[in-house]
Amino acid sequence: MSTWLVTGGAGFIGCNFVRAALDSTPHRVVVVDKLTYAGRTENLEAVASHPRYAFIRADIADRAAVAAVFDAEQPSAVVNFAAESHVDRSIDGPAAFVQTNIVGAFELLEASRELLARSGGERARRDFRFVQISSDEVYGSLGATGAFDEASPLRPSSVYSASKAAAEHLVRAYCATFGVPGIVTNGSNNFGPHQLPEKLIPLTILNAIEGKPLPIYGDGGNVRDWLYVADQCDAILRILEHGRPGEKYNVGAGNERTNLEVVDAICDELERALPAARNAALGHAGVTRYAELKQFVIDRPGHDRRYAVDATKIRRELGWRPKLGFEARLRETIRWYLDNPRWCASVESDGSQRVRRGSPAA
């Protein structure tokens, strides 16, 4: 039985991937996570007793800890989800993003290079994969039309996206120089179960339920391509099994929406799932509809106007495509947050969520 090392597996996308890997592959899955505010043991409760699952608490930027994990587990694949990922937090505190997203990726690549050197032979190199989970944000802001493809230049606008771009360059360099079979995935904006409420969709859902203001940056016209997390995980599984080393794959669903359109869609769906007339919190807030909670706030510095990726390559080469449209997935997401108040209360217990960060005054 081969072992997949999933770093950052206690985070939002990582925990969804862990469940998908255990459900659909025969591999052993070992999660390595530092358990910062973004990595939560609550996210892995459903797999805690699985016979092919193990957890190691470690910092991927700690060379000795990473070496010990590689020595003990001898992984056949590394999937690096571990990252500081909230742009607003990167404005307030850039150092953590450089340490985890760049230094951490470097240490994982170094450990992979040493593992392959010790194992020797082309078979080990042929069977090994290093998959770096990156973002569409590395490409920078896009105009009103067109989409980024895999050959588009990297022009990051935030410390977060710059750190992810740097990790991409390291993967490419280790592939070209040392023969580490690395692949990069550039996913668009993910949403779905287990996403922390510092991000737009869960923040809007939970604030609306509680009758709190729904903050919208600037004029609400910033455009993102929204990708359901289970579809992203399916894409990564296909890339692991059939992707070509040295390549990168854009993963996008073609669900372009402005932030204002997303907030409006959540308000409309909540009117069906939990009508405002039955929600006492809205009465206490003095409103009769969820949409009345919308509040435009000062934009964050360097806020890219539009992202969109061309996912033709992964669709053509690996046969991947999203299973359902945006509206259906948004309904599923809203229902998950309504049905999981214990999880929501647990991840918000330290008071760090739903706090404005990255403001112009920061």
Side-chain angles (χ1 to χ4, degrees):
M1 185 187 302
S2 61
T3 294
W4 287 359
L5 212 60
V6 180
T7 61
F12 163 47
I13 305 177
C15 76
N16 281 280
F17 177 81
V18 168
R19 287 192 295 277
L22 290 171
D23 286 345
S24 62
T25 80
H27 302 287
R28 182 167 173 266
V29 177
V30 176
V31 169
V32 177
D33 202 294
K34 187 180 177 181
L35 295 182
T36 63
Y37 81 96
R40 316 290 303 209
T41 55
E42 299 95 325
N43 290 341
L44 295 168
E45 287 177 354
V47 300
S49 61
H50 197 289
R52 289 187 285 110
Y53 165 79
F55 178 85
I56 299 171
R57 185 170 186 174
D59 181 355
I60 63 166
D62 181 335
R63 175 167 296 188
V66 170
V69 170
F70 272 70
D71 285 345
E73 302 300 338
Q74 300 289 303
S76 63
V78 177
V79 190
N80 183 27
F81 292 95
E84 293 284 343
S85 66
H86 191 31
V87 174
D88 289 5
R89 287 180 184 262
S90 79
I91 297 171
D92 293 346
F97 288 74
V98 172
Q99 187 68 15
T100 298
N101 300 1
I102 302 176
V103 176
F106 163 71
E107 295 297 353
L108 291 173
L109 286 163
E110 270 289 278
S112 298
R113 178 174 73 87
E114 292 172 4
L115 175 69
L116 290 170
R118 289 195 303 271
S119 60
E122 280 305 307
R123 180 176 180 181
R125 202 172 301 277
R126 185 174 66 248
D127 293 342
F128 184 85
R129 290 292 181 272
F130 186 105
V131 178
Q132 172 68 21
I133 309 303
S134 193
S135 165
D136 58 357
E137 296 194 31
V138 298
Y139 296 120
S141 194
L142 192 63
T145 60
F148 294 119
D149 63 24
E150 287 81 2
S152 296
L154 307 189
R155 293 173 176 166
S157 302
S158 68
V159 174
Y160 160 67
S161 54
S163 66
K164 296 297 282 186
E168 282 196 31
H169 286 310
L170 284 171
V171 173
R172 182 178 178 85
Y174 269 71
C175 188
T177 304
F178 302 117
V180 174
I183 305 174
V184 173
T185 76
N186 296 87
S188 57
N189 269 42
N190 275 222
F191 71 102
H194 297 279
Q195 188 172 35
L196 290 177
E198 64 183 6
K199 300 296 181 73
L200 176 65
I201 287 180
L203 183 148
T204 301
I205 294 168
L206 296 182
N207 274 18
I209 292 168
E210 297 172 13
K212 295 178 178 179
L214 310 180
I216 302 168
Y217 286 180
D219 63 359
N222 299 78
V223 177
R224 300 293 183 264
D225 172 11
W226 293 94
L227 174 66
Y228 190 63
V229 66
D231 291 322
Q232 162 90 330
C233 293
D234 179 51
I236 296 166
L237 286 170
R238 291 178 187 237
I239 288 166
L240 264 168
E241 293 167 352
H242 306 294
R244 292 180 288 136
E247 296 292 327
K248 64 186 301 188
Y249 296 89
N250 285 342
V251 186
N255 292 322
E256 287 188 55
R257 302 287 192 283
T258 66
N259 287 348
L260 181 56
E261 287 173 332
V262 171
V263 172
D264 283 338
I266 292 171
C267 290
D268 290 344
E269 183 55 37
L270 279 173
E271 293 290 355
R272 290 185 283 271
L274 180 64
R278 298 209 315 259
N279 186 346
L282 269 67
H284 294 319
V287 301
T288 59
R289 296 184 305 113
Y290 289 105
E292 294 175 41
L293 297 169
K294 291 187 297 184
Q295 183 180 97
F296 292 91
V297 299
I298 296 173
D299 206 353
R300 73 175 177 224
H303 194 180
D304 289 332
R305 189 65 174 175
R306 174 174 173 258
Y307 302 139
V309 297
D310 181 348
T312 299
K313 181 176 178 178
I314 191 170
R315 293 188 183 215
R316 182 184 64 243
E317 293 189 8
L318 306 183
W320 173 88
R321 55 184 27 82
K323 290 184 172 63
L324 293 173
F326 176 74
E327 289 73 17
R329 292 305 201 181
L330 186 63
R331 283 194 296 274
E332 291 181 13
T333 300
I334 291 171
R335 177 46 58 190
W336 188 89
Y337 283 94
L338 288 171
D339 290 344
N340 288 274
R342 185 178 67 86
W343 180 90
C344 296
S346 179
V347 301
E348 294 197 279
S349 61
D350 63 359
S352 68
Q353 297 297 310
R354 290 194 267 176
V355 176
R356 175 68 197 260
R357 303 177 191 277
S359 66

